[in-house]
Amino acid sequence: KEKGEKKMGELKEKEKAILNVIIDYMKEHHYSPSMREIASMLDISSTSTVFRHMENLRKKGYITWELSRPRTIQILKTNAEK
């Protein structure tokens, strides 16, 4: 790998933060947070930014969800550092 090149499964800081927020929220509420709730919890102004990071998490195999249904996020891998 070239210096600075990301491994396929390696997470960026925002992706780790989003994954950890989802995990913590689901432990407490027993269902997944909405995009707006994730944005609010991480002080991100745009839900499209959250969606972009979540799409990266999906591509890297950490989460999945049904696009047309709210609160359907499922955790597939949890090895993000807290």
Side-chain angles (χ1 to χ4, degrees), residues 14 18 35-53:
K14 278 287 190 209
I18 289 172
M35 298 269 182
R36 192 167 309 282
E37 287 168 331
I38 294 168
S40 176
M41 287 183 274
L42 293 173
D43 205 24
I44 298 171
S45 59
S46 170
T47 55
S48 63
T49 300
V50 172
F51 181 82
R52 187 181 76 242
H53 289 302

Side-chain angles (χ1 to χ4, degrees), residues 7-60:
K7 288 183 247 165
M8 187 61 171
E10 191 174 328
L11 297 182
K12 297 177 183 175
E13 289 304 312
K14 278 287 190 209
E15 293 167 352
K16 286 180 186 180
I18 289 172
L19 182 59
N20 288 328
V21 159
I22 294 168
I23 291 167
D24 291 344
Y25 187 97
M26 289 176 76
K27 283 179 184 175
E28 184 176 341
H29 299 280
H30 305 289
Y31 57 86
S32 64
S34 67
M35 298 269 182
R36 192 167 309 282
E37 287 168 331
I38 294 168
S40 176
M41 287 183 274
L42 293 173
D43 205 24
I44 298 171
S45 59
S46 170
T47 55
S48 63
T49 300
V50 172
F51 181 82
R52 187 181 76 242
H53 289 302
M54 287 182 56
E55 187 63 24
N56 290 338
L57 286 167
R58 185 191 63 76
K59 287 177 184 175
K60 293 176 182 179

Side-chain angles (χ1 to χ4, degrees), residues 62-79:
Y62 284 88
I63 64 172
T64 189
W65 73 91
E66 295 178 48
L67 280 176
S68 59
R69 297 183 61 207
R71 301 188 187 275
T72 59
I73 301 168
Q74 295 178 348
I75 304 296
L76 303 176
K77 290 197 289 189
T78 61
N79 62 348

